[in-house]
Coordinates of all heavy atoms in Angstrom, one line a residue:
M1 N 0.8 -1.2 0.0 CA 0.0 0.0 0.0 C 0.9 1.2 0.0 O 1.8 1.3 0.8 CB -0.9 -0.1 1.2 CG -1.2 1.1 2.0 SD -2.3 0.9 3.4 CE -2.5 -0.8 3.7
K2 N 0.7 2.2 -0.9 CA 1.5 3.4 -1.0 C 1.0 4.4 0.0 O -0.2 4.6 0.2 CB 1.4 4.0 -2.4 CG 2.4 5.1 -2.6 CD 2.5 5.4 -4.1 CE 3.5 6.5 -4.2 NZ 3.7 6.9 -5.6
A3 N 2.0 5.1 0.7 CA 1.7 6.0 1.7 C 2.7 7.2 1.8 O 3.8 7.0 1.4 CB 1.6 5.3 3.1
H4 N 2.2 8.3 2.2 CA 3.0 9.5 2.6 C 3.2 9.3 4.1 O 2.2 9.4 4.9 CB 2.4 10.8 2.2 CG 2.3 11.0 0.8 ND1 3.2 11.7 0.1 CD2 1.3 10.6 -0.1 CE1 2.9 11.8 -1.2 NE2 1.7 11.1 -1.3
V5 N 4.4 9.1 4.6 CA 4.6 8.9 6.0 C 5.3 10.1 6.6 O 6.3 10.6 6.1 CB 5.5 7.6 6.2 CG1 5.9 7.5 7.7 CG2 4.8 6.4 5.7
T6 N 4.8 10.6 7.8 CA 5.4 11.7 8.5 C 5.8 11.1 9.9 O 5.0 10.5 10.6 CB 4.4 12.8 8.7 OG1 3.9 13.2 7.4 CG2 5.0 14.0 9.4
L7 N 7.1 11.3 10.2 CA 7.6 10.9 11.5 C 7.2 12.0 12.5 O 7.5 13.2 12.3 CB 9.1 10.8 11.5 CG 9.7 9.8 10.5 CD1 11.2 9.8 10.6 CD2 9.1 8.4 10.6
L8 N 6.5 11.6 13.6 CA 6.0 12.6 14.6 C 6.9 12.7 15.8 O 6.6 13.5 16.7 CB 4.6 12.1 15.0 CG 3.6 12.1 13.9 CD1 2.3 11.6 14.5 CD2 3.4 13.4 13.2
R9 N 8.0 12.0 15.9 CA 8.9 12.1 17.0 C 10.4 12.2 16.5 O 10.7 11.6 15.4 CB 8.8 10.9 17.9 CG 7.5 10.8 18.7 CD 7.5 9.6 19.6 NE 6.2 9.6 20.4 CZ 6.1 10.2 21.5 NH1 7.1 10.7 22.1 NH2 5.0 10.1 22.2
S10 N 11.2 12.8 17.3 CA 12.6 12.9 17.0 C 13.4 12.6 18.3 O 13.2 13.3 19.3 CB 13.0 14.2 16.4 OG 14.4 14.3 16.2
G11 N 14.2 11.5 18.3 CA 14.9 11.1 19.5 C 13.9 10.7 20.6 O 14.2 10.9 21.8
G12 N 12.7 10.2 20.3 CA 11.7 9.9 21.3 C 10.8 11.0 21.7 O 9.8 10.7 22.4
R13 N 11.1 12.2 21.4 CA 10.3 13.3 21.8 C 9.3 13.8 20.7 O 9.7 13.8 19.5 CB 11.1 14.6 22.1 CG 12.0 14.4 23.3 CD 12.7 15.6 23.6 NE 13.8 15.4 24.5 CZ 14.7 16.3 24.8 NH1 14.6 17.5 24.3 NH2 15.7 16.0 25.6
L14 N 8.1 14.1 21.0 CA 7.2 14.7 20.0 C 7.8 15.9 19.4 O 8.4 16.7 20.1 CB 5.8 15.0 20.7 CG 4.9 13.9 21.0 CD1 3.7 14.3 21.7 CD2 4.5 13.2 19.7
S15 N 7.7 16.1 18.1 CA 8.3 17.3 17.5 C 7.3 17.7 16.3 O 6.5 17.0 15.9 CB 9.6 17.0 16.9 OG 9.5 16.0 15.9
V16 N 7.6 18.9 15.9 CA 6.8 19.5 14.7 C 7.5 18.9 13.5 O 8.7 19.2 13.3 CB 6.8 21.0 14.7 CG1 6.1 21.5 13.5 CG2 6.2 21.5 16.0
P17 N 6.8 18.1 12.7 CA 7.4 17.5 11.5 C 7.6 18.5 10.4 O 6.9 18.5 9.4 CB 6.4 16.4 11.1 CG 5.1 16.9 11.6 CD 5.4 17.7 12.9
D18 N 8.6 19.4 10.6 CA 8.8 20.5 9.6 C 10.0 20.2 8.7 O 10.2 20.9 7.7 CB 8.9 21.8 10.2 CG 10.0 21.9 11.3 OD1 10.6 20.8 11.5 OD2 10.3 22.9 11.8
R19 N 10.8 19.2 9.0 CA 12.0 19.0 8.2 C 11.6 17.9 7.1 O 10.9 17.0 7.3 CB 13.1 18.5 9.0 CG 13.5 19.5 10.1 CD 14.8 19.0 10.8 NE 14.6 17.7 11.5 CZ 14.2 17.5 12.7 NH1 13.9 18.5 13.5 NH2 14.1 16.3 13.2
P20 N 12.2 18.1 5.9 CA 12.0 17.1 4.8 C 12.4 15.7 5.2 O 11.9 14.7 4.8 CB 12.8 17.6 3.7 CG 13.1 19.0 4.0 CD 13.0 19.2 5.4
T21 N 13.4 15.6 6.2 CA 13.9 14.2 6.6 C 12.8 13.5 7.4 O 12.9 12.3 7.6 CB 15.2 14.3 7.4 OG1 14.9 15.2 8.5 CG2 16.3 14.9 6.6
M22 N 11.8 14.2 7.9 CA 10.7 13.6 8.7 C 9.6 13.2 7.8 O 8.6 12.7 8.3 CB 10.3 14.6 9.8 CG 11.4 14.9 10.7 SD 10.9 15.8 12.2 CE 10.1 14.5 13.1
R23 N 9.7 13.3 6.5 CA 8.6 12.9 5.6 C 9.2 12.0 4.5 O 10.3 12.3 4.0 CB 8.0 14.2 5.0 CG 7.3 15.0 6.0 CD 6.5 16.1 5.3 NE 5.8 16.9 6.3 CZ 6.1 18.2 6.5 NH1 7.1 18.8 5.8 NH2 5.5 18.9 7.4
A24 N 8.4 11.0 4.1 CA 8.9 10.1 3.0 C 7.6 9.5 2.4 O 6.5 9.5 2.9 CB 9.7 9.0 3.6
V25 N 7.9 9.0 1.2 CA 6.8 8.4 0.4 C 7.3 7.0 0.0 O 8.5 6.9 -0.4 CB 6.5 9.2 -0.9 CG1 5.4 8.5 -1.7 CG2 6.0 10.6 -0.5
G26 N 6.5 6.0 0.1 CA 6.9 4.7 -0.3 C 5.7 3.7 -0.1 O 4.6 4.1 0.3
E27 N 6.1 2.4 -0.3 CA 5.1 1.3 0.0 C 5.3 0.8 1.4 O 6.4 0.6 1.9 CB 5.4 0.2 -1.0 CG 5.2 0.5 -2.4 CD 3.7 0.5 -2.8 OE1 2.9 -0.2 -2.3 OE2 3.4 1.3 -3.7
L28 N 4.2 0.6 2.1 CA 4.2 0.1 3.4 C 4.2 -1.4 3.4 O 3.4 -2.0 2.6 CB 3.0 0.5 4.3 CG 3.0 2.0 4.7 CD1 1.7 2.3 5.4 CD2 4.2 2.3 5.6
E29 N 5.0 -2.1 4.2 CA 5.0 -3.6 4.2 C 5.2 -4.0 5.7 O 6.1 -3.5 6.4 CB 6.2 -4.1 3.4 CG 6.4 -5.6 3.5 CD 7.6 -6.1 2.9 OE1 8.7 -5.8 3.3 OE2 7.4 -6.9 1.9
L30 N 4.3 -4.9 6.1 CA 4.4 -5.5 7.5 C 5.1 -6.8 7.4 O 4.7 -7.7 6.6 CB 3.0 -5.6 8.1 CG 3.0 -6.1 9.5 CD1 3.8 -5.2 10.5 CD2 1.6 -6.3 10.0
T31 N 6.2 -7.0 8.1 CA 7.0 -8.2 8.0 C 7.5 -8.6 9.4 O 7.2 -7.9 10.4 CB 8.1 -8.1 7.0 OG1 8.8 -9.3 6.9 CG2 9.1 -7.1 7.5
H32 N 8.3 -9.6 9.6 CA 8.9 -10.0 10.8 C 10.4 -10.1 10.5 O 10.8 -10.6 9.5 CB 8.4 -11.4 11.3 CG 7.1 -11.3 12.0 ND1 5.9 -11.2 11.4 CD2 6.8 -11.3 13.3 CE1 5.0 -11.2 12.2 NE2 5.5 -11.2 13.5
L33 N 11.2 -9.5 11.4 CA 12.7 -9.6 11.3 C 13.3 -10.0 12.6 O 12.7 -9.8 13.7 CB 13.2 -8.2 11.0 CG 12.8 -7.6 9.6 CD1 13.3 -6.2 9.5 CD2 13.3 -8.4 8.5
R34 N 14.5 -10.5 12.5 CA 15.3 -10.8 13.7 C 16.0 -9.5 14.1 O 16.6 -8.8 13.3 CB 16.4 -11.9 13.4 CG 15.8 -13.2 13.2 CD 16.9 -14.2 12.8 NE 16.3 -15.3 12.1 CZ 16.2 -16.5 12.7 NH1 16.6 -16.7 13.9 NH2 15.6 -17.5 12.0
I35 N 16.1 -9.3 15.4 CA 16.7 -8.1 15.9 C 18.3 -8.3 15.9 O 19.0 -7.4 15.6 CB 16.3 -7.7 17.3 CG1 14.8 -7.3 17.3 CG2 17.1 -6.6 18.0 CD1 14.2 -6.9 18.5
S36 N 18.7 -9.5 16.2 CA 20.1 -9.9 16.1 C 20.3 -11.3 15.5 O 19.4 -12.1 15.7 CB 20.8 -9.7 17.5 OG 20.4 -10.8 18.3
P37 N 21.4 -11.6 14.9 CA 21.6 -12.9 14.4 C 21.6 -14.0 15.4 O 21.3 -15.2 15.1 CB 23.0 -12.8 13.7 CG 23.4 -11.4 13.7 CD 22.6 -10.7 14.7
D38 N 21.9 -13.7 16.7 CA 22.0 -14.7 17.7 C 20.6 -15.0 18.3 O 20.4 -16.0 19.0 CB 22.9 -14.2 18.9 CG 24.3 -14.0 18.4 OD1 24.7 -14.6 17.4 OD2 25.0 -13.1 19.0
E39 N 19.6 -14.1 18.0 CA 18.3 -14.2 18.6 C 17.4 -15.0 17.6 O 17.2 -14.6 16.5 CB 17.7 -12.8 18.8 CG 16.3 -12.8 19.3 CD 16.3 -13.0 20.8 OE1 17.2 -12.7 21.5 OE2 15.3 -13.6 21.2
P40 N 16.8 -16.2 18.0 CA 15.9 -16.9 17.1 C 14.5 -16.3 17.0 O 13.9 -16.5 16.0 CB 15.8 -18.3 17.8 CG 16.1 -18.0 19.3 CD 17.0 -16.8 19.3
R41 N 14.2 -15.4 17.9 CA 12.9 -14.8 17.9 C 12.8 -13.6 16.9 O 13.8 -12.9 16.6 CB 12.6 -14.2 19.3 CG 11.3 -13.5 19.5 CD 11.1 -13.1 20.9 NE 11.9 -11.8 21.2 CZ 11.3 -10.6 21.2 NH1 10.0 -10.5 20.9 NH2 12.0 -9.5 21.4
T42 N 11.7 -13.5 16.2 CA 11.4 -12.4 15.3 C 10.4 -11.4 15.9 O 9.7 -11.8 16.8 CB 10.9 -12.9 13.9 OG1 9.7 -13.5 14.1 CG2 11.9 -13.8 13.3
V43 N 10.5 -10.2 15.4 CA 9.5 -9.1 15.9 C 8.8 -8.5 14.7 O 9.4 -8.5 13.6 CB 10.2 -8.0 16.7 CG1 10.8 -8.6 18.0 CG2 11.3 -7.3 15.9
P44 N 7.6 -8.1 14.8 CA 6.9 -7.4 13.7 C 7.5 -6.1 13.4 O 8.0 -5.3 14.3 CB 5.5 -7.3 14.2 CG 5.5 -7.4 15.7 CD 6.7 -8.2 16.0
V45 N 7.6 -5.8 12.1 CA 8.2 -4.5 11.7 C 7.4 -3.9 10.5 O 7.1 -4.6 9.6 CB 9.7 -4.7 11.2 CG1 10.3 -3.4 10.7 CG2 10.6 -5.3 12.2
L46 N 7.0 -2.7 10.7 CA 6.4 -2.0 9.6 C 7.5 -1.2 8.8 O 8.2 -0.4 9.4 CB 5.3 -1.0 10.1 CG 4.5 -0.3 9.1 CD1 3.7 -1.2 8.2 CD2 3.6 0.7 9.8
Q47 N 7.7 -1.5 7.6 CA 8.8 -0.9 6.8 C 8.2 0.0 5.7 O 7.1 -0.3 5.1 CB 9.6 -2.0 6.1 CG 10.2 -3.0 7.0 CD 11.1 -3.9 6.2 OE1 12.3 -3.8 6.3 NE2 10.5 -4.9 5.5
L48 N 8.9 1.1 5.5 CA 8.6 2.0 4.4 C 9.6 1.6 3.3 O 10.8 2.0 3.4 CB 8.7 3.4 4.8 CG 8.3 4.4 3.7 CD1 6.8 4.2 3.3 CD2 8.5 5.8 4.2
L49 N 9.2 0.9 2.3 CA 10.1 0.5 1.2 C 10.3 1.7 0.3 O 9.5 2.5 0.0 CB 9.4 -0.6 0.4 CG 9.1 -1.8 1.2 CD1 8.4 -2.8 0.2 CD2 10.3 -2.5 1.8
G50 N 11.6 1.9 -0.1 CA 12.0 3.0 -1.0 C 13.3 3.6 -0.5 O 14.0 3.0 0.3
A51 N 13.5 4.9 -0.8 CA 14.8 5.5 -0.5 C 15.0 5.7 1.0 O 16.1 5.6 1.4 CB 14.8 6.9 -1.2
S52 N 14.0 6.0 1.7 CA 14.2 6.3 3.2 C 14.5 5.0 4.0 O 15.3 5.1 4.9 CB 13.0 7.0 3.8 OG 11.9 6.0 3.9
G53 N 13.8 3.9 3.7 CA 14.1 2.6 4.4 C 13.7 2.7 5.9 O 14.3 2.0 6.7
Q54 N 12.8 3.5 6.2 CA 12.4 3.7 7.6 C 11.8 2.3 8.1 O 11.1 1.6 7.4 CB 11.3 4.8 7.8 CG 11.8 6.1 7.5 CD 12.7 6.7 8.6 OE1 12.7 6.2 9.7 NE2 13.6 7.6 8.3
Q55 N 12.0 2.0 9.4 CA 11.4 0.8 10.0 C 10.8 1.2 11.4 O 11.4 1.9 12.1 CB 12.5 -0.2 10.2 CG 13.1 -0.8 9.0 CD 14.1 -1.9 9.2 OE1 14.9 -1.7 10.1 NE2 14.1 -2.9 8.4
L56 N 9.6 0.7 11.6 CA 9.0 0.9 12.9 C 8.8 -0.5 13.5 O 8.0 -1.3 13.0 CB 7.6 1.6 12.7 CG 6.9 2.0 13.9 CD1 7.6 3.1 14.7 CD2 5.5 2.5 13.6
F57 N 9.5 -0.8 14.6 CA 9.5 -2.1 15.3 C 8.3 -2.1 16.2 O 8.0 -1.1 16.9 CB 10.8 -2.3 16.0 CG 12.0 -2.5 15.1 CD1 12.7 -1.5 14.6 CD2 12.4 -3.8 14.7 CE1 13.8 -1.7 13.7 CE2 13.4 -4.0 13.9 CZ 14.1 -3.0 13.4
E58 N 7.7 -3.3 16.4 CA 6.6 -3.5 17.3 C 5.5 -2.5 17.0 O 5.0 -1.8 17.9 CB 7.0 -3.5 18.7 CG 8.1 -4.5 19.1 CD 7.6 -5.9 19.4 OE1 6.3 -6.0 19.5 OE2 8.4 -6.8 19.6
P59 N 5.0 -2.3 15.8 CA 4.0 -1.3 15.5 C 2.7 -1.6 16.1 O 2.2 -2.8 16.1 CB 4.0 -1.3 13.9 CG 4.3 -2.7 13.6 CD 5.3 -3.1 14.6
K60 N 2.0 -0.6 16.5 CA 0.6 -0.7 17.1 C -0.2 0.4 16.4 O 0.2 1.6 16.3 CB 0.6 -0.4 18.6 CG 1.6 -1.2 19.3 CD 1.0 -2.2 20.2 CE 1.9 -3.0 21.1 NZ 3.1 -3.6 20.5
L61 N -1.3 0.0 15.8 CA -2.3 0.9 15.2 C -3.0 1.7 16.3 O -3.7 1.1 17.1 CB -3.3 0.2 14.3 CG -4.3 1.0 13.6 CD1 -3.6 2.0 12.6 CD2 -5.3 0.2 12.9
I62 N -2.8 3.0 16.4 CA -3.5 3.8 17.5 C -4.6 4.6 17.0 O -5.5 5.0 17.8 CB -2.4 4.6 18.2 CG1 -1.7 5.5 17.3 CG2 -1.5 3.8 19.0 CD1 -0.7 6.5 18.1
S63 N -4.7 4.9 15.7 CA -5.9 5.6 15.2 C -6.0 5.4 13.7 O -5.1 5.2 13.1 CB -5.9 7.1 15.6 OG -4.9 7.8 14.9
I64 N -7.3 5.5 13.3 CA -7.5 5.3 11.8 C -8.7 6.3 11.5 O -9.7 6.4 12.2 CB -7.9 3.9 11.5 CG1 -7.9 3.7 10.0 CG2 -9.1 3.4 12.2 CD1 -7.9 2.3 9.5
F65 N -8.4 7.1 10.4 CA -9.4 8.0 9.9 C -9.5 7.8 8.4 O -8.8 6.9 7.9 CB -9.0 9.5 10.2 CG -8.9 9.8 11.7 CD1 -7.7 9.8 12.3 CD2 -10.1 10.0 12.4 CE1 -7.6 10.1 13.7 CE2 -10.0 10.3 13.8 CZ -8.7 10.3 14.4
V66 N -10.3 8.6 7.7 CA -10.5 8.4 6.3 C -9.1 8.7 5.6 O -8.6 9.8 5.7 CB -11.6 9.4 5.8 CG1 -11.6 9.3 4.2 CG2 -12.9 9.1 6.4
G67 N -8.5 7.7 5.1 CA -7.3 7.8 4.3 C -6.0 8.0 5.2 O -4.9 8.2 4.6
T68 N -6.1 8.0 6.5 CA -5.0 8.2 7.4 C -4.9 7.2 8.5 O -6.0 6.9 9.1 CB -5.0 9.6 8.0 OG1 -5.1 10.6 6.9 CG2 -3.8 9.9 8.8
M69 N -3.8 6.6 8.8 CA -3.6 5.7 9.9 C -2.4 6.3 10.7 O -1.5 6.9 10.2 CB -3.2 4.3 9.5 CG -4.4 3.7 8.7 SD -4.0 1.9 8.3 CE -2.6 2.0 7.3
K70 N -2.5 6.1 12.0 CA -1.4 6.5 12.9 C -0.9 5.3 13.7 O -1.7 4.5 14.3 CB -1.9 7.6 13.9 CG -0.8 8.2 14.7 CD -1.4 9.4 15.4 CE -0.4 10.0 16.4 NZ -1.0 11.1 17.2
F71 N 0.4 5.1 13.7 CA 1.1 3.9 14.3 C 2.0 4.4 15.4 O 2.7 5.5 15.2 CB 1.9 3.1 13.3 CG 1.0 2.4 12.3 CD1 0.8 3.0 11.1 CD2 0.5 1.1 12.6 CE1 0.0 2.3 10.1 CE2 -0.2 0.5 11.6 CZ -0.5 1.0 10.4
S72 N 2.2 3.7 16.5 CA 3.3 3.9 17.4 C 4.1 2.7 17.5 O 3.7 1.6 17.1 CB 2.7 4.2 18.8 OG 2.1 3.1 19.4
G73 N 5.4 2.9 17.8 CA 6.3 1.7 17.9 C 7.7 2.2 18.4 O 7.8 3.3 19.0
L74 N 8.7 1.5 18.0 CA 10.1 1.8 18.3 C 10.9 1.9 17.1 O 10.7 1.2 16.1 CB 10.7 0.7 19.2 CG 10.0 0.4 20.5 CD1 10.5 -0.8 21.2 CD2 10.1 1.6 21.4
E75 N 11.9 2.8 17.1 CA 12.9 2.9 16.1 C 14.3 2.7 16.7 O 14.5 3.0 17.9 CB 12.8 4.2 15.3 CG 13.2 5.4 16.1 CD 13.2 6.7 15.3 OE1 13.2 6.6 14.0 OE2 13.2 7.8 15.9
F76 N 15.2 2.2 15.9 CA 16.6 2.0 16.3 C 17.5 3.0 15.6 O 17.6 2.9 14.4 CB 17.0 0.6 16.0 CG 18.3 0.2 16.6 CD1 18.4 -0.1 18.0 CD2 19.4 0.0 15.9 CE1 19.6 -0.4 18.6 CE2 20.6 -0.4 16.4 CZ 20.7 -0.6 17.8
V77 N 18.1 3.9 16.4 CA 18.9 5.0 15.8 C 20.2 5.1 16.6 O 20.2 5.3 17.8 CB 18.2 6.3 15.8 CG1 19.1 7.4 15.2 CG2 16.9 6.3 15.0
G78 N 21.3 5.0 15.9 CA 22.6 5.2 16.6 C 22.9 4.3 17.8 O 23.4 4.7 18.8
G79 N 22.4 3.1 17.7 CA 22.6 2.1 18.8 C 21.7 2.2 20.0 O 21.9 1.6 21.0
A80 N 20.6 3.1 19.8 CA 19.6 3.2 20.9 C 18.2 3.1 20.4 O 17.9 3.4 19.2 CB 19.8 4.6 21.6
W81 N 17.3 2.6 21.2 CA 15.9 2.5 20.9 C 15.1 3.7 21.3 O 15.3 4.2 22.4 CB 15.3 1.3 21.6 CG 15.8 0.0 21.0 CD1 16.8 -0.8 21.5 CD2 15.3 -0.7 19.8 NE1 17.0 -1.9 20.7 CE2 16.1 -1.9 19.7 CE3 14.3 -0.5 18.9 CZ2 16.0 -2.8 18.7 CZ3 14.2 -1.3 17.9 CH2 15.0 -2.5 17.7
Y82 N 14.2 4.2 20.5 CA 13.4 5.4 20.8 C 12.0 5.2 20.4 O 11.7 4.4 19.5 CB 13.9 6.6 19.9 CG 15.3 7.1 20.3 CD1 16.4 6.7 19.5 CD2 15.5 8.0 21.3 CE1 17.6 7.2 19.8 CE2 16.8 8.4 21.6 CZ 17.8 8.0 20.9 OH 19.1 8.5 21.1
A83 N 11.1 5.8 21.2 CA 9.7 5.8 20.8 C 9.5 6.6 19.5 O 10.2 7.6 19.3 CB 8.8 6.4 21.9
Q84 N 8.6 6.1 18.7 CA 8.3 6.7 17.4 C 6.8 6.6 17.1 O 6.2 5.7 17.5 CB 9.1 6.1 16.3 CG 9.0 6.7 14.9 CD 9.3 8.2 14.9 OE1 8.4 9.0 15.1 NE2 10.6 8.6 14.7
E85 N 6.3 7.6 16.4 CA 4.9 7.6 15.8 C 5.0 7.9 14.4 O 5.8 8.8 14.0 CB 4.0 8.5 16.6 CG 3.8 8.1 18.0 CD 2.9 9.1 18.7 OE1 1.9 9.6 18.1 OE2 3.1 9.3 19.9
W86 N 4.2 7.2 13.6 CA 4.1 7.5 12.2 C 2.6 7.9 11.8 O 1.7 7.3 12.3 CB 4.4 6.3 11.3 CG 5.8 5.9 11.2 CD1 6.9 6.3 11.9 CD2 6.3 4.9 10.4 NE1 8.0 5.7 11.6 CE2 7.7 4.8 10.6 CE3 5.7 4.0 9.4 CZ2 8.5 3.9 9.9 CZ3 6.5 3.1 8.8 CH2 7.9 3.0 9.0
R87 N 2.5 9.0 11.1 CA 1.2 9.3 10.5 C 1.3 8.9 9.0 O 2.2 9.4 8.3 CB 0.8 10.8 10.6 CG -0.6 11.1 10.1 CD -1.0 12.6 10.3 NE 0.0 13.5 9.7 CZ 0.6 14.5 10.3 NH1 0.3 14.7 11.6 NH2 1.4 15.3 9.7
C88 N 0.4 8.0 8.6 CA 0.5 7.5 7.2 C -0.7 7.9 6.4 O -1.9 7.6 6.8 CB 0.6 6.0 7.2 SG 1.9 5.3 8.2
E89 N -0.5 8.7 5.4 CA -1.6 9.2 4.5 C -1.6 8.3 3.3 O -0.6 8.3 2.6 CB -1.5 10.6 4.2 CG -1.5 11.5 5.4 CD -1.1 13.0 5.0 OE1 -1.4 13.4 3.9 OE2 -0.6 13.6 5.9
L90 N -2.6 7.5 3.2 CA -2.7 6.5 2.1 C -3.1 7.1 0.8 O -3.9 8.0 0.7 CB -3.7 5.4 2.5 CG -3.5 4.7 3.9 CD1 -4.6 3.7 4.1 CD2 -2.1 4.1 3.9
T91 N -2.4 6.6 -0.3 CA -2.7 7.1 -1.6 C -3.0 5.9 -2.5 O -2.6 4.7 -2.2 CB -1.5 7.9 -2.2 OG1 -0.4 7.0 -2.3 CG2 -1.2 9.1 -1.4
L92 N -3.6 6.1 -3.7 CA -3.9 5.0 -4.6 C -2.8 4.9 -5.6 O -2.1 5.7 -6.0 CB -5.2 5.3 -5.3 CG -6.4 5.2 -4.3 CD1 -7.7 5.6 -5.0 CD2 -6.6 3.9 -3.7

């Protein structure tokens, strides 16, 4: 499903999504990935396929409106886990 995704957090804090790096367009895909090669367990990951390659680990759907979904989850940046929220505007 194609979507315009806006990142609503930066470093775990809510922020105003005014930077172009906080917005991306691509196909959404829900999959399961291993967090490390030593770990046999997989976790759900919502991925934005395309140039940005954003990943939202353990995604939870928190709201849905006409053409828009909002997810919360975790992102891994610079060796640390942060809270993240995505606003996804769906397109055809």
